[in-house]
């Protein structure tokens, strides 16, 4: 069987979210022309659920009153197909009219009080009830698919609207639904409802592909910026990966942009972590929910679009209302640019596979058990901060869910960064231990946010043994951390002055304690060498070193009046904070606290520098990519059919972005074998040939100038 048309593509989906009144006099050919003009390959059309866009035979599936008996869906599908535009039918089974509630109260969600759950005039249906399954939803999906031959479905609202206490749920759970964490069955209940939603969607997927194996099935899932909403709905990405053809994740609203610039990339990477070879789609939320008619600044939308491409994700763009009725004249032109560039770069983007040097463990299981709620707090904040720090240092990072840790998956990465070990399963600990013993490098942080205050949860014994110290549970605080004079062991990356290299622990410490440092003076500062007292804003775990432990950072209390040069020697000497231990063929680099949240909260580069040094320490080979790009430029790298492609996304400017400040020149140093040809491809500009300096197993390329976004496309020469 031929592979489905969408299988390897980064999709370009446009969603004109028409209001009911707009359907009344809808000009079908005008709408299709508008969609084609914006370079979309598929368009989302509201088709059924609360109301139908066609005369339906399914009971309770009434046609939108505004359109009379007109078969609008049929008209749109044939007009679109005549011009090779694909149609994705949007369905919404999350709520129904009062009439349905009155005849089938058993289909609806109940609050703990027994009352029905409502949203304005509508009643909220239960994902397990007959309405969302065999009695209504499945017949509607079959009718639309078989009658109109649509190219796919988009499910509007996924999962629960909070905890449901209806009879169907009670029966399916197999006992009374608990009301809070104090009840013993709570964790089991939370796991059950996530699996229930995944099963329900898998049955939709099965129904749809049974009729049309090439059909897309997607839904707008909640992104990592909003864990509270995802929890309420019981949307759990690792369980949902096989329930859809693509994971479509909603990210990038102007409000969450203030807490992180990485939501889009993070969402795409999380999707890749559960389904490595399938390109996800980013549904860019273009509006502040309070002002749905106002678009975000054009440069901000472009920034998110390009970040999606850089992470191997397609784009879904939405407008509130039809293209012809946009009150902001800038709306449509803004949407066109990324789509047009995607079309031009189709050959490079198709089947593109991200390249990673480092694996960051994403402890989703720990998030649930450590009860972190907000996306920037606690252990979630720690992980978000680590991700941001890795990005700032241009380290090619891929994600690995904690529940998927296996020896095989770990071997995909040269280095593993683990934000906490206290919640890991026995199997995961075993896999990590052998990963290290067989030559892997483990950067282990010990985020205090993973433990209930005020102490730390016990460190798994096998890992404590690798660290080779006495690891207690006592939490301590100190104002600073400071490097020690001791050089940690481990081979160093070969030094060459001509290119930027990540710094190793040894290099930084060595610099701190040499005469060279004193002589360099301001020059050293300008080159970003050395490291001074770093604020320690979180508690750390107290560990007791044994003989031969290589400690790199210690807690320190500095007296304010003393000059830093003197205080270095005078005030070090408290608890070990960061140490390096050789274990088997590998290395474990352990920090007795987290660095991510401190980085997120203070923005001090030092935390990122320490993390980078922990990662590059002990490496005998260079990473796939080295660059001197400023930290405001995101750099990712991927394989494409004929070589590799480096994506450069420029975020230099305010949040939200008004216009990125051009930067450059940027030097890239890539792993590459043989002669190379490189092209600089940027939106709105003709491709430009870049000179390649080939060296043994590497190629160096200089990008003269970067505006909003560019791809450096490298192929064999
Ligand atoms: Zn229910």
């Amino acid at each position: 069987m031929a592979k489905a048309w969408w299988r390897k593509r980064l999709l370009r989906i446009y969603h004109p979210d028409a209001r009911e009144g707009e359907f009344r006099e809808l000009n079908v050919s005008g709408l299709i022309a508008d969609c084609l003009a914006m370079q979309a390959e598929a368009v989302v059309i509201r088709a059924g659920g609360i109301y139908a866009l066609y005369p339906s035979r399914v009971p309770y599936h009434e046609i939108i009153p505004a359109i009379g008996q007109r078969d609008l869906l049929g008209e749109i599908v044939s007009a679109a197909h005549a011009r090779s535009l694909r149609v994705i039918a949007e369905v919404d089974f999350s709520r129904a009219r009062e009439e349905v509630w009155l005849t089938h109260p058993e289909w609806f969600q109940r609050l703990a009080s027994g009352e029905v759950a409502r949203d304005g005039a509508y009643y909220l249906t239960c994902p397990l009830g007959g309405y969302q399954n065999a009695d209504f939803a499945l017949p509607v999906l079959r009718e639309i698919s078989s009658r109109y031959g649509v190219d796919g479905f988009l499910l509007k609202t996924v999962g629960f609207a909070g905890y449901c206490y209806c009879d169907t749920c009670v029966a399916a759970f197999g006992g009374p639904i608990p009301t809070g964490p104090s009840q013993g069955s709570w964790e089991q209940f939370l796991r059950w409802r996530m699996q229930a939603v995944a099963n329900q969607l898998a049955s939709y997927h099965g129904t749809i592909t049974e009729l049309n194996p090439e059909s897309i099935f997607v839904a707008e899932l909640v992104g990592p910026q909003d864990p509270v909403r995802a929890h309420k709905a019981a949307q759990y990405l690792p369980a949902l990966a096989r329930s859809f053809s693509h994971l479509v994740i909603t990210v990038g609203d102007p409000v969450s942009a203030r807490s992180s610039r990485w939501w889009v990339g993070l969402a795409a990477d999380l999707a890749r972590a559960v389904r490595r070879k399938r390109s996800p789609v980013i549904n860019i939320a273009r509006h502040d929910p309070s002002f749905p008619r106002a678009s975000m600044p054009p440069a901000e939308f472009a920034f998110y679009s390009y970040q999606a491409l850089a992470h191997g994700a397609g784009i879904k763009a939405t407008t509130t209302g039809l293209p012809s009725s946009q009150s902001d004249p800038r709306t449509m032109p803004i949407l066109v640019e990324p789509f047009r560039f995607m079309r031009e770069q189709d050959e490079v983007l198709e089947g593109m596979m991200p390249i990673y040097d480092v694996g960051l463990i994403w402890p989703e299981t720990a998030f649930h058990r450590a009860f972190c709620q907000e996306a920037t707090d606690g252990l979630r904040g720690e992980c978000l901060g680590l991700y941001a720090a890795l990005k700032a240092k241009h380290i090619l990072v891929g994600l690995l869910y904690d529940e998927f840790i296996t020896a095989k998956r770990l071997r995909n990465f040269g280095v593993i960064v683990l934000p906490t070990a206290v919640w890991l399963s026995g199997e995961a600990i075993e896999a990590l231990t052998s990963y290290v013993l067989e030559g892997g490098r483990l950067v282990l942080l010990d985020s205090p946010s993973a433990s209930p205050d005020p102490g730390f949860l016990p460190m798994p014994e096998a890992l404590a043994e690798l660290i080779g110290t006495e690891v207690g549970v006592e939490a301590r605080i100190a104002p600073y951390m400071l490097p020690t004079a001791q050089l940690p062991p481990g081979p160093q990356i070969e030094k060459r002055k001509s290119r930027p290299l990540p710094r190793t622990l040894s290099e930084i410490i060595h610099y701190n304690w040499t005469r060279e440092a004193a002589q360099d003076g301001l020059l050293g500062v300008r080159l970003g060498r050395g490291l001074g007292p770093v604020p320690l804003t979180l508690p750390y775990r107290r560990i007791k070193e044994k003989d031969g432990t290589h400690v790199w950072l210690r807690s320190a209390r500095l007296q304010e009046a003393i000059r830093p040069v003197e205080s270095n020697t005078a005030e070090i000497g408290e608890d070990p904070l960061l140490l390096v231990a050789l274990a088997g063929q590998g290395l474990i680099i352990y920090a007795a606290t987290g660095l991510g949240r401190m980085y997120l909260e203070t923005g001090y580069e030092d935390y990122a520098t320490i993390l980078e040094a922990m990662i590059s320490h002990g490496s005998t080979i260079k990473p796939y990519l080295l660059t001197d790009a400023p930290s405001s430029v995101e750099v990712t790298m991927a394989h494409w059919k004929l070589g590799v492609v480096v994506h450069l996304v420029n975020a230099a400017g305010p949040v939200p972005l008004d216009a990125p400040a051009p930067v450059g020149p940027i030097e890239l140093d890539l792993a590459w074998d043989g002669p190379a040809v490189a092209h600089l491809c940027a939106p709105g500009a003709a491709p430009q040939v870049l000179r390649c300096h080939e060296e043994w197993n590497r190629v160096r390329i200089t990008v003269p100038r970067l505006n909003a976004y560019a791809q450096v496309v490298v192929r064999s020469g």
Side-chain angles (χ1 to χ4, degrees):
M1 191 182 75
K3 292 210 164 171
W5 61 276
W6 42 259
R7 200 161 285 267
K8 293 185 117 189
R9 304 183 45 71
L10 263 58
L11 295 173
R12 305 188 307 273
I13 303 175
Y14 170 50
H15 184 177
D17 194 8
R19 288 173 290 265
E20 241 167 78
E22 290 182 295
F23 287 119
R24 192 174 295 126
E25 301 294 333
L26 184 73
N27 171 355
V28 171
S29 60
L31 170 64
I32 302 304
D34 285 340
C35 296
L36 290 167
M38 70 169 297
Q39 319 278 325
E41 63 187 317
V43 59
V44 176
I45 299 293
R46 194 166 110 189
I50 308 169
Y51 284 108
L53 197 65
Y54 63 94
S56 170
R57 290 204 193 93
V58 178
Y60 306 111
H61 201 209
E62 286 190 11
I63 197 161
I64 299 176
I67 63 170
Q69 281 303 303
R70 188 177 172 192
D71 186 352
L72 209 40
L73 185 59
E75 288 179 39
I76 292 172
V77 174
S78 32
H81 282 176
R83 301 196 60 186
S84 302
L85 180 70
R86 314 262 180 183
V87 178
I88 297 173
E90 183 195 310
V91 285
D92 186 353
F93 303 120
S94 67
R95 57 208 67 209
R97 287 164 288 119
E98 185 167 44
E99 177 209 347
V100 188
W101 150 250
L102 291 173
T103 35
H104 282 286
E106 77 281 9
W107 285 350
F108 292 83
Q109 288 196 56
R110 303 290 179 137
L111 308 175
S113 62
E115 274 174 90
V116 67
R118 295 184 61 168
D119 178 20
Y122 294 114
Y123 293 73
L124 300 176
T125 57
C126 174
L128 271 62
Y131 182 87
Q132 284 206 32
N133 296 287
D135 296 330
F136 182 79
L138 298 184
V140 168
L141 293 174
R142 286 194 195 101
E143 182 177 70
I144 293 175
S145 179
S146 53
R147 200 189 290 177
Y148 299 104
V150 292
D151 304 280
F153 286 89
L154 179 135
L155 180 65
K156 178 82 175 168
T157 310
V158 171
F160 291 93
Y163 307 126
C164 177
Y165 296 84
C166 80
D167 290 344
T168 318
C169 280
V170 173
F173 179 57
I177 306 279
T179 47
S182 59
Q183 280 161 286
S185 53
W186 185 247
E187 260 193 56
Q188 188 199 343
F189 166 63
L190 296 186
R191 270 200 310 276
W192 168 81
R193 62 199 288 276
M194 295 190 292
Q195 196 53 54
V197 169
N199 293 347
Q200 178 215 11
L201 298 167
S203 97
Y204 284 17
H205 194 199
T207 304
I208 289 164
T209 46
E210 206 176 276
L211 289 164
N212 175 7
E214 288 207 357
S215 181
I216 283 180
F217 176 50
V218 295
E220 293 167 4
L221 301 172
V222 179
Q225 78 286 2
D226 198 352
V228 176
R229 249 186 76 209
H231 175 84
K232 274 190 186 156
Q235 292 180 15
Y236 181 54
L237 219 51
L240 293 174
R242 301 278 157 181
S243 304
F244 295 105
S245 64
H246 302 70
L247 292 168
V248 178
I249 304 179
T250 303
V251 224
D253 62 278
V255 179
S256 69
R258 303 214 177 91
S259 60
S260 172
R261 298 306 270 154
W262 306 114
W263 295 122
V264 167
L266 182 59
D269 289 353
L270 287 169
R272 288 273 183 185
V274 293
R275 206 152 181 202
R276 199 170 69 88
K277 289 186 181 167
R278 186 65 53 84
S279 306
V281 178
I282 297 299
N283 178 44
I284 301 175
R286 296 180 49 247
H287 311 285
D288 180 332
S290 325
F291 306 102
R293 294 302 196 91
S295 293
M296 65 168 74
E300 180 77 356
F301 177 78
F303 168 67
Y304 281 140
S305 302
Y306 299 140
Q307 194 176 119
L309 301 188
H311 289 260
I315 297 170
K316 175 175 168 294
T318 311
T319 51
T320 308
L322 298 172
S324 51
S325 59
Q326 292 305 310
S327 30
D328 186 334
R330 295 167 298 183
T331 304
M332 300 316 290
I334 293 164
L335 301 185
V336 175
E337 193 185 74
F339 279 180
R340 180 178 294 138
F341 186 64
M342 284 171 82
R343 268 185 83 169
E344 287 167 9
Q345 294 300 97
D346 215 21
E347 197 194 0
V348 174
L349 295 174
E350 190 173 321
M352 195 176 69
M353 285 292 289
I355 296 173
Y356 309 125
D357 276 310
V358 171
L360 171 64
I361 306 285
W362 198 254
E364 190 73 37
T365 329
F367 293 158
H368 292 284
R369 302 178 72 185
F371 301 110
C372 2
Q373 298 277 314
E374 298 301 325
T376 51
D377 287 348
L379 188 56
R380 278 185 197 276
E382 171 68 21
C383 296
L384 184 64
L386 291 176
Y387 185 82
L390 291 163
K391 288 284 149 200
K393 292 294 180 182
H394 307 303
I395 293 167
L396 301 176
V397 58
L399 303 178
L400 178 58
Y401 276 96
D402 55 352
E403 66 181 89
F404 295 153
I405 294 176
T406 60
K408 193 172 161 234
R409 287 201 178 93
L410 291 172
R411 278 198 291 271
N412 291 333
F413 304 100
V415 185
I416 293 290
V417 176
L418 177 60
T420 174
V422 300
W423 292 104
L424 288 180
S425 69
E427 293 84 3
I429 291 164
E430 205 174 300
L432 279 161
T433 311
S434 32
Y435 170 78
V436 174
L437 294 175
E438 287 162 19
R441 283 176 297 132
L442 176 63
V443 171
L444 171 59
L445 298 120
D446 210 349
S447 171
S449 319
S451 302
D453 287 334
F456 278 79
L457 289 171
M459 172 71 64
E461 228 166 86
L463 290 174
E465 233 168 78
L466 291 188
I467 300 168
T469 49
E470 204 178 301
V471 187
V473 294
E474 185 193 336
R476 289 194 161 187
I477 50 167
Y480 295 104
M481 32 191 182
L482 261 181
T484 63
Q486 192 185 12
L487 278 175
Q492 289 184 43
I493 296 181
E494 189 190 347
K495 276 189 195 176
R496 281 193 200 164
K497 280 186 179 160
S498 61
R499 75 197 61 173
L501 278 174
R503 287 171 296 172
T504 63
L505 300 188
S506 320
E507 209 176 327
I508 294 176
I509 295 170
H510 184 68
Y511 184 83
N512 265 19
W513 295 95
T514 53
R515 212 178 316 139
E516 195 189 339
Q519 283 163 358
D520 271 359
L522 274 178
L523 181 71
V525 173
R526 215 177 66 226
L527 296 173
R529 289 184 184 153
L531 196 68
V534 182
L536 184 55
T537 61
L538 292 175
Y540 60 90
R541 189 197 288 270
R542 182 163 187 219
I543 51 175
K544 287 179 197 154
E545 63 201 285
K546 292 179 183 163
D547 283 348
T549 308
H550 298 274
V551 178
W552 181 52
L553 287 181
R554 286 185 190 277
S555 63
R557 287 164 213 285
L558 301 176
Q559 287 169 20
E560 295 304 330
I562 298 178
R563 286 166 55 212
V565 174
E566 289 164 1
S567 65
N568 275 355
T569 44
E571 302 288 334
I572 299 171
E574 296 182 31
D575 296 323
L577 281 183
L578 197 154
L579 54 88
V580 180
L582 300 164
Q585 304 294 307
L587 267 184
I588 184 159
I589 302 131
Y590 170 73
T593 188
L595 296 172
R597 251 177 77 195
M598 295 198 275
Y599 178 67
L600 201 64
E601 283 164 14
T602 65
Y604 283 12
E605 190 205 4
D606 285 353
Y607 303 109
T609 303
I610 294 169
L611 182 66
E612 181 193 36
M614 291 171 83
I615 286 167
S616 56
H617 186 79
S619 172
T620 48
I621 48 165
K622 277 195 201 172
Y624 286 108
L625 176 138
L626 291 169
T627 175
D628 63 353
S631 62
S632 52
V633 172
E634 188 191 13
V635 188
T636 65
M637 185 170 168
H639 289 290
W640 68 287
K641 268 175 289 187
L642 302 176
V644 296
V645 51
V646 175
H647 300 259
L648 300 160
V649 187
N650 187 2
V655 180
L657 204 55
D658 49 8
V663 292
I666 294 171
E667 195 177 327
L668 302 170
D669 175 351
L670 313 175
W672 183 262
D673 204 9
V677 174
H679 286 90
L680 182 68
C681 304
Q688 183 187 341
V689 178
L690 297 177
R691 196 179 302 161
C692 296
H693 298 275
E694 287 138 24
E695 284 169 31
W696 189 71
N697 275 351
R698 307 291 292 186
V699 59
R700 272 194 295 143
I701 301 163
T702 306
V703 177
R705 186 184 154 98
L706 173 69
N707 290 314
Y709 171 61
Q711 295 175 358
V712 177
V713 180
V714 187
R715 65 186 90 199
S716 294

